[in-house]
Amino acid sequence: DLGATLLRATARLDRFGAFSGKLVLGSGAALGIYTLAAGMGASTANGNFQVTAYKKPDYAVSVISDRGDHANYTQGEHVGVQVRARYYFGAPLAKAPVAWDLIQNDFTFQSARYPDYTFGDQDYAAPPAQQANGAMVTQGTGTTNSQGGFRFTVPGSIAANAPSQQFTLEAVLTGPDNQQVAQNTQVVVHKAAVYVGLKPSDFLPAAGKPTAMHLVTVADDGTRMAPGTPVTLRLYRRVWLSSFVRDSTGFFYWQDKHKDTLVGTQSTHT
């Protein structure tokens, strides 16, 4: 019944100040918003969840880039995306609304051929430049054609990003019954077609003694070598400066800063 209480129980907190419980909804449970409420003394808290009915869609949606799924692009290139919708009995879903978006995530390049090499500028002292779940960059709408297809293009403009970017391109299609089906594809837009990998011969070299640095250049697919690539190496000395500072409230805390000094440059090629 609307507004009826389905469960009332008393729980005991564990040593972490938490409790858990379970409510099994019957197959005939009403659809809509359910409210959970908890109270202890004068303190109360509540939350909601929604119960909906699942209906298998009558059609399937596919999303693929013009180079396939998990394809590689280089910054400045355009990524073409093809959306297709067809009923399960084979007919195309024509004149259906399509909403699409692009989400970018920082991409860390790795090569299975050189798993012990470091690729890219990984400065662990720098604050993260992007949220963990990425950022929506652009979005748009359209309509499928008579063949159930829809195409859109996004630029691989990542000049403002320090690392390469993974593009997640998603399309949400709305059928005649207003049911929505979503599908996505992922590609990588690289800062360059070639990556430079470094591996020191000693991760803790001794002062005053020479140490070697191994260098490779690999194509953006991570498997092909890129011989003859010119490379400029720059060696920096990083000095950490730690100080015990006091904030405006009188609280003291450690503050870490660093200073980088260029100590050498060398040009070479693979």
Side-chain angles (χ1 to χ4, degrees):
D1 296 335
L2 183 64
T5 299
L6 301 181
L7 176 67
R8 185 184 299 274
T10 300
R12 183 179 296 274
L13 300 180
D14 60 22
R15 62 191 181 93
F16 300 105
F19 72 92
S20 63
K22 181 169 65 174
L23 171 64
V24 179
L25 296 176
S27 58
L31 306 180
I33 304 296
Y34 287 67
T35 300
L36 295 170
M40 185 174 64
S43 300
T44 60
N46 61 73
N48 300 319
F49 65 89
Q50 185 175 9
V51 176
T52 60
Y54 172 75
K55 176 188 175 184
K56 182 179 178 180
D58 299 323
Y59 55 91
V61 177
S62 66
V63 179
I64 195 75
S65 80
D66 53 10
R67 297 183 185 176
D69 200 19
H70 300 289
N72 295 305
Y73 294 80
T74 305
Q75 68 172 335
E77 295 183 323
H78 283 74
V79 181
V81 182
Q82 182 65 50
V83 181
R84 296 191 181 279
R86 302 189 71 85
Y87 287 102
Y88 282 112
F89 59 81
L93 179 53
K95 298 181 180 180
V98 180
W100 61 267
D101 59 56
L102 163 62
I103 295 178
Q104 284 185 207
N105 288 87
D106 290 345
F107 176 77
T108 301
F109 178 82
Q110 294 177 319
S111 172
R113 189 168 182 175
Y114 298 100
D116 50 350
Y117 279 71
T118 298
F119 297 87
D121 186 9
Q122 299 180 4
D123 188 353
Y124 299 103
Q130 192 180 71
Q131 298 178 353
N133 57 352
M136 181 181 293
V137 177
T138 186
Q139 56 187 345
T141 58
T143 305
T144 58
N145 57 25
S146 61
Q147 300 302 312
F150 171 73
R151 178 180 171 81
F152 65 95
T153 303
V154 296
S157 303
I158 61 171
N161 302 96
S164 299
Q165 296 290 297
Q166 177 179 269
F167 280 20
T168 300
L169 300 139
E170 182 175 79
V172 181
L173 190 141
T174 304
D177 57 354
N178 287 326
Q179 189 173 14
Q180 293 184 323
V181 176
Q183 191 58 267
N184 66 65
T185 188
Q186 290 183 328
V187 301
V188 177
V189 180
H190 301 274
K191 296 292 288 186
V194 176
Y195 283 85
V196 178
L198 296 173
K199 184 183 76 170
S201 58
D202 298 298
F203 284 93
L204 195 62
K209 294 184 179 180
T211 185
M213 182 68 70
H214 302 281
L215 170 71
V216 295
T217 48
V218 185
D220 58 14
D221 62 3
T223 62
R224 294 176 294 116
M225 297 283 292
T229 303
V231 179
T232 300
L233 299 171
R234 295 182 178 91
L235 178 64
Y236 289 87
R237 179 194 300 115
R238 171 166 290 181
V239 177
W240 286 96
L241 306 171
S242 298
S243 55
F244 201 49
V245 298
R246 181 179 182 180
D247 64 14
S248 59
T249 65
F251 178 77
F252 285 89
Y253 65 97
W254 283 103
Q255 184 180 71
D256 294 326
K257 296 181 179 180
H258 63 271
K259 179 181 179 181
D260 293 335
T261 303
L262 179 64
V263 295
T265 302
Q266 182 176 343
S267 297
T268 184
H269 61 82
T270 55

